[in-house]
Amino acid sequence: MSFCSFFGGEVFQNHFQPGIYVCTKCGYELFSSRSKYAHSSPWPAFTETIHADSVAKQPEHNRPGALKVSCGKCGHGLGHEFLNDGPKPGQSRFIFSSSLKFIPKGEDSSVSQGH
């Protein structure tokens, strides 16, 4: 499972349209656009998940202060959570590569999940 591979052209880095971000593999709801913020990394950054089980986390052994993050439903590799590196003191920063799909506000996310 690979995490945060950056090949340029990240489509969601400067994308701030209202909606939700879902896992590209299974369509599970991960983040709301309300928790997204501008950041200097080439990947989109979020401060919190939609559901308590949106993501699963495991320690990143060679990166203190970072956790590997995968989809809480299917286990697809998403990226990292950087502890205490958010826009406010004590907040964490989630960053992700091309593992996200955006569903604009008003569209039914269950259509993308095959329900």
Side-chain angles (χ1 to χ4, degrees):
M1 180 178 331
S2 65
F3 293 86
C4 285
S5 299
F6 181 66
F7 300 107
E10 172 53 61
V11 297
F12 297 127
Q13 177 187 15
N14 297 311
H15 182 266
F16 290 95
Q17 182 180 351
I20 62 168
Y21 294 83
V22 300
C23 174
T24 56
K25 189 169 181 180
C26 72
Y28 193 51
E29 297 175 338
L30 303 172
F31 301 96
S32 166
S33 60
R34 290 186 305 258
S35 72
K36 188 174 185 302
Y37 68 99
H39 190 270
S40 61
S41 78
W43 301 280
F46 302 87
T47 56
E48 61 188 11
T49 60
I50 290 179
H51 307 289
D53 68 347
S54 288
V55 300
K57 305 171 192 180
Q58 61 189 69
E60 178 75 274
H61 298 293
N62 59 348
R63 274 188 165 159
L67 302 172
K68 285 185 177 182
V69 178
S70 56
C71 175
K73 184 174 180 182
C74 73
H76 183 63
L78 299 173
H80 291 89
E81 176 181 0
F82 293 93
L83 305 173
N84 299 311
D85 190 31
K88 296 179 184 173
Q91 277 187 326
S92 291
R93 170 176 55 112
F94 292 92
I95 63 167
F96 302 98
S97 59
S98 59
S99 305
L100 303 176
K101 177 181 176 185
F102 179 72
I103 308 295
K105 184 176 180 177
E107 284 191 23
D108 186 0
S109 65
S110 67
V111 172
S112 68
Q113 295 178 38
H115 294 163

